[in-house]
């Protein structure tokens, strides 16, 4: 048997059969998003682009908080898939759809309240506010569709069908671009056209995703039944991951929000530098998806030796990706900054922060990888508790201590937060989660 780094080539292939399609979708989505932005950006008034940017930020924040649906579904489906229990997979699918529809309808109905809160926080100009409100009001009616898609992605990834998961991401963006051309350029609907285009894309994706997952599970309407004990457990897991996601989003938002105290240039600098974190996630997310599916499958098979095996091989690739990223950022960091912006002042200031960017992948990859392990094994309490600890003993103390350092203090806090996430997750996995633990 041919081996690479001590592992069989076939097992490396299994890792990348899951990781590669998701890496491709991670790359394809922003590229299509650039087309979307370019269409709106070429309208005669810049206020349209600003309104869409504000509206998309609000909607994305809400949907990112709902990513717990994808994570919880992936873990449970992977374990049931490993146990070859199709009935359990259908039940987890039912649970996910019930939560997606309930929460999605609640978000849609509450859209006026969400709009009021968002405008109070952002406080845009009167003209900009009107356009942003229109965008948010329309987009939030796609909430049920977006959450159904998260469940579909969870099922597909849990069943190791990442090719269709990739296609779902690409379908969303491709339909969005086509509808942008029709509604914005064809009918001249500007901001409302952009919102309706995104809404159309999200509903098309939800329908396709539901069909694919139902077909994969052999699911029909007569399989629609709820077992409230399982639903309560599923809700508990989702609640834990929601808290984890909320804390993560708040820490990340601080990097932009608190930077406003140091001037508009520093806000722009951090916006540029945060793109490096996005580049890191392109590869590390793919490896995290692999360990979610493979470790979850091994847990369902009660093969705890295989859990350790898949953890080792995926950690190897996560580490290799991190080293490559660090080398690329060290050698080409300035060139990447210049690709993102051509404003001399922002380039000059951003280059002063490159040492933080070089060490970022070496620190961050642990938390990406551990998230994949915890999701695959359904250790949601561990995800919640380690995130709380990392914010309390990592981010907040370093942010406070780093106030005299201004923006460097923010990057110190972010680096300490990511490092503490890896440390606390490692400790939790070693001392608080036994290999045979069924779930949390």
């Amino acid at each position: 048997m041919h081996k690479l780094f001590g592992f069989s080539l076939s097992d490396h292939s299994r890792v990348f059969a899951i990781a590669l399609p998701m890496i491709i979708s991670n790359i394809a989505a922003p590229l299509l998003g650039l087309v979307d932005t370019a269409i709106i950006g070429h309208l005669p008034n810049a206020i349209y682009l600003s309104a869409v940017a504000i509206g998309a930020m609000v909607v994305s924040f809400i949907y990112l908080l709902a990513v717990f649906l994808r994570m919880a579904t992936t873990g449970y489906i992977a374990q049931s898939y490993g146990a070859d229990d199709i009935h359990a997979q259908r039940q987890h699918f039912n649970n996910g759809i019930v939560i997606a529809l309930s929460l999605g309808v609640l978000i849609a109905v509450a859209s006026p309240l969400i709009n009021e809160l968002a405008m109070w926080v952002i406080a845009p100009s009167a003209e900009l506010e009107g356009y942003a409100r229109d965008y948010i009001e329309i987009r939030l009616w796609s909430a049920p569709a977006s959450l159904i898609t998260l469940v579909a992605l969870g099922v597909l990834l849990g069943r190791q069908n990442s090719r269709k998961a990739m296609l779902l991401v690409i379908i969303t963006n491709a339909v969005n671009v086509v509808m942008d051309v029709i509604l914005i350029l064809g009918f001249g609907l500007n901001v409302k056209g952009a919102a309706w285009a995104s809404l159309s894309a999200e509903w098309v994706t939800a329908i396709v995703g539901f069909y694919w997952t139902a077909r994969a599970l052999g699911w029909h309407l007569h399989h629609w039944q709820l077992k409230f004990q399982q639903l309560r457990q599923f809700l508990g897991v989702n609640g834990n991951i929601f808290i984890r996601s909320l804390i993560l989003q708040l820490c990340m938002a601080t990097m932009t929000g608190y930077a406003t105290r140091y001037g508009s240039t520093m806000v722009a600098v951090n916006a540029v530098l945060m793109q490096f974190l996005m580049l890191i996630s392109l590869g590390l997310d793919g490896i995290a998806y692999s360990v979610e599916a493979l470790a979850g499958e091994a847990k369902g098979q009660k093969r705890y030796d295989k859990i350790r095996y898949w953890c080792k091989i995926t950690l190897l690739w996560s580490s290799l990706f991190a080293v490559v990223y660090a080398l690329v950022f060290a050698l080409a960091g300035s060139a990447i900054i210049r690709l993102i912006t051509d404003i001399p002042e922002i380039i000059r200031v951003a280059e002063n922060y490159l040492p933080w960017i070089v060490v970022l992948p070496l620190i961050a990859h642990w938390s990406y990888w551990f998230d994949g392990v915890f999701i695959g094994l359904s250790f949601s309490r561990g995800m919640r508790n380690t995130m709380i600890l990392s914010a309390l003993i990592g981010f907040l103390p370093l942010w406070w201590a780093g106030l005299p350092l201004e923006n460097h203090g923010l990057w110190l806090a972010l680096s300490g937060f990511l490092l503490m996430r890896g440390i606390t997750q490692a400790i939790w996995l070693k001392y608080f989660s036994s290999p045979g633990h069924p779930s949390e």
Side-chain angles (χ1 to χ4, degrees):
M1 182 184 294
H2 296 290
K3 290 193 173 186
L4 178 65
F5 303 125
F7 301 95
S8 72
L9 289 177
S10 62
D11 289 336
H12 287 295
S13 297
R14 283 197 69 187
V15 169
F16 278 93
I18 299 168
L20 195 57
M22 298 314 298
I23 292 172
I24 292 170
S25 69
N26 283 345
I27 295 170
L31 290 177
L32 286 166
L34 286 174
V35 178
D36 182 23
T37 304
I39 292 170
I40 300 160
H42 280 83
L43 293 175
N45 195 331
I47 198 169
Y48 299 140
L49 182 58
S50 299
V52 170
I54 290 173
M57 177 188 70
V58 172
V59 174
S60 295
F61 182 82
I62 294 169
Y63 292 169
L64 279 172
L65 290 180
V67 78
F68 59 78
L69 266 174
R70 202 282 303 163
M71 293 179 171
T73 303
T74 298
Y76 277 127
I77 291 290
Q79 293 163 35
S80 303
Y81 182 70
D84 198 24
D85 187 345
I86 192 66
H87 300 293
Q89 292 177 59
R90 290 172 184 154
Q91 191 59 52
H92 296 316
F93 178 61
N94 288 343
N95 292 338
I97 293 298
V98 166
I99 296 172
L101 286 173
S102 302
L103 186 57
V105 170
L106 180 63
I107 291 170
V109 171
S111 58
L113 292 175
I114 294 171
N115 232 331
E116 288 297 329
L117 178 61
M119 293 306 110
W120 177 76
V121 171
I122 299 167
S125 65
E127 185 182 10
L128 183 57
E129 179 178 338
Y131 286 115
R133 280 180 179 273
D134 287 342
Y135 184 91
I136 293 168
E137 183 178 351
I138 294 168
R139 277 293 308 276
L140 289 181
W141 282 101
S142 67
S146 293
L147 302 195
I148 287 170
T149 299
L150 287 175
V151 175
L153 285 169
V155 173
L156 294 171
L157 287 168
R159 290 175 57 86
Q160 301 178 29
N161 192 343
S162 58
R163 190 177 72 85
K164 281 191 173 174
M166 171 191 73
L167 290 174
L168 276 186
V169 176
I170 293 174
I171 285 170
T172 303
N173 289 276
V175 172
N176 190 32
V177 168
V178 171
M179 294 304 295
D180 272 341
V181 171
I182 294 171
L183 297 175
I184 298 174
L185 300 183
F187 290 92
L189 294 179
N190 55 66
V191 172
K192 287 186 177 181
W196 282 112
S198 295
L199 180 141
S200 302
E202 284 157 343
W203 277 105
V204 167
T205 307
I207 292 167
V208 173
F210 186 92
Y211 172 75
W212 280 350
T213 49
R215 187 174 178 183
L217 297 172
W219 185 93
H220 300 284
L221 279 177
H222 67 266
H223 293 125
W224 183 260
Q225 57 178 319
L226 288 180
K227 297 179 180 177
F228 289 99
Q229 180 62 32
Q230 290 186 10
L231 180 61
R232 188 160 54 246
Q233 182 183 12
F234 196 78
L235 280 167
V237 169
N238 279 283
N240 289 334
I241 302 177
F242 169 78
I243 294 170
R244 168 257 182 208
S245 300
L246 178 61
I247 294 170
L248 177 62
Q249 289 301 315
L250 289 174
C251 288
M252 291 300 178
T254 303
M255 295 299 295
T256 299
Y258 206 83
T260 58
R261 295 169 180 260
Y262 309 132
S264 58
T265 296
M266 211 56 80
V267 175
V269 165
N270 278 3
V272 169
L273 295 174
M274 290 299 280
Q275 297 308 305
F276 284 86
L277 197 59
M278 184 273 290
L279 291 173
I280 292 170
S281 70
L282 294 180
L284 296 184
D285 269 346
I287 302 301
Y289 289 134
S290 292
V291 72
E292 287 175 25
L294 295 169
E297 178 190 40
K299 180 176 179 178
Q301 295 169 342
K302 302 189 186 302
R303 291 287 308 277
Y304 303 112
D305 58 322
K306 292 295 288 185
I307 293 176
R308 288 187 287 271
Y309 179 83
W310 290 121
C311 284
K312 288 176 182 177
I313 188 172
T314 51
L315 178 57
L316 166 70
W317 281 109
S318 180
S319 302
L320 289 174
F321 271 56
V323 171
V324 170
Y325 273 122
L327 289 173
V328 170
F329 293 165
L331 297 173
S334 294
I336 295 171
I337 290 172
R338 285 174 166 78
L339 283 174
I340 298 171
T341 181
D342 58 0
I343 301 172
E345 175 67 8
I346 293 176
I347 292 171
R348 183 185 64 79
V349 177
E351 286 178 337
N352 293 331
Y353 292 84
L354 275 177
W356 293 110
I357 297 303
V358 172
V359 300
L360 195 63
L362 301 175
I363 296 172
H365 88 96
W366 294 98
S367 59
Y368 282 89
W369 178 79
F370 273 121
D371 273 350
V373 175
F374 278 56
I375 291 165
L377 302 181
S378 296
F379 288 156
S380 64
R381 278 195 300 131
M383 294 182 73
R384 179 198 66 195
N385 293 348
T386 56
M387 184 66 77
I388 293 171
L389 280 171
S390 299
L392 290 178
I393 64 179
F395 189 88
L396 288 176
L398 289 174
W399 165 75
W400 180 259
L403 285 175
L405 302 174
E406 297 191 343
N407 200 49
H408 278 289
L410 285 177
W411 282 94
L412 173 65
L414 178 64
S415 300
F417 171 64
L418 293 171
L419 178 63
M420 193 55 64
R421 284 197 65 206
I423 293 171
T424 55
Q425 286 172 305
I427 293 171
W428 187 277
L429 199 61
K430 183 174 177 62
Y431 293 107
F432 296 98
S433 301
S434 63
H437 199 296
S439 70
E440 293 187 327

